[in-house]
Amino acid sequence: MNQASTTDASLNDAAIATRIWPLLGACALGLVPFTIYSNFLVDITRNSGHDATLMGSLRGVGGVAALLVGLTCAPLLDRVPRRSAVIWSLLLLAAACVVGLVGPVWAWALFCLLVGAATSVLNPAASAMAADRFDDESTSGRAATQVSAVMTLTAVLSAPLLAGPAVWWGWRGV
């Protein structure tokens, strides 16, 4: 066992989080677009003037996109630098959010497709990148688990945290 492994094995969760905080932030941001879409779907539907069934089904389109991209890209993920996969996923999420502000149904369909595709690459790439930061196997696993935990926590906490600003700025401002 080398010195780095011994040092890594002695890290507590706070120390691990300190080393991987940019990845934790990236994964938290990655979940916000669909959370906004899901939580403000009634307002988005009202503003868009489209049928509620259509707008609601677009959320499922994002899930299908995530599944298809995940299945096709997962085997290739180790062939691309993980940093590049994370960066491109975040850029794709940003582009999706800009497209979502346009408003027509084609824009919302594209938004859902892009967000689903981007998150299906972002989450595993960020988890693997977090694990790669440590030599010790158990610490690597704990780092990847922290990434997953932040994604879960974001899904749970983002709705209440976004509700306050939405009172003043509406869903577009959020």
Side-chain angles (χ1 to χ4, degrees):
M1 181 181 265
N2 65 26
Q3 182 63 31
S5 293
T6 303
T7 305
D8 282 356
S10 65
L11 293 175
N12 62 23
D13 288 339
I16 293 170
T18 300
R19 284 199 192 171
I20 63 169
W21 71 265
L23 294 169
L24 299 176
C27 287
L29 283 175
L31 286 175
V32 172
F34 261 160
T35 302
I36 290 172
Y37 186 78
S38 298
N39 287 313
F40 299 110
L41 186 57
V42 172
D43 293 330
I44 292 169
T45 300
R46 189 178 314 121
N47 289 350
S48 74
H50 297 292
D51 183 53
T53 305
L54 171 66
M55 294 300 285
S57 67
L58 291 178
R59 178 67 173 87
V61 168
V64 171
L67 179 65
L68 293 175
V69 170
L71 286 172
T72 57
C73 289
L76 305 174
L77 200 54
D78 281 336
R79 297 181 183 177
V80 176
R82 290 181 175 132
R83 177 184 290 253
S84 296
V86 169
I87 290 169
W88 281 106
S89 294
L90 290 171
L91 290 172
L92 193 59
L93 283 167
C97 291
V98 170
V99 168
L101 292 174
V102 174
V105 73
W106 66 265
W108 287 111
L110 187 58
F111 166 84
C112 290
L113 287 169
L114 293 176
V115 170
T119 54
S120 71
V121 172
L122 173 64
N123 298 342
S127 293
M129 211 171 143
D132 289 347
R133 299 257 170 109
F134 304 96
D135 293 328
D136 176 61
E137 227 177 271
S138 64
T139 307
S140 291
R142 288 170 46 216
T145 300
Q146 281 191 15
V147 171
S148 295
V150 164
M151 289 184 284
T152 302
L153 187 63
T154 302
V156 172
L157 290 180
S158 60
L161 292 176
L162 294 171
V167 170
W168 289 286
W169 302 314
W171 67 268
R172 288 182 195 254
V174 173

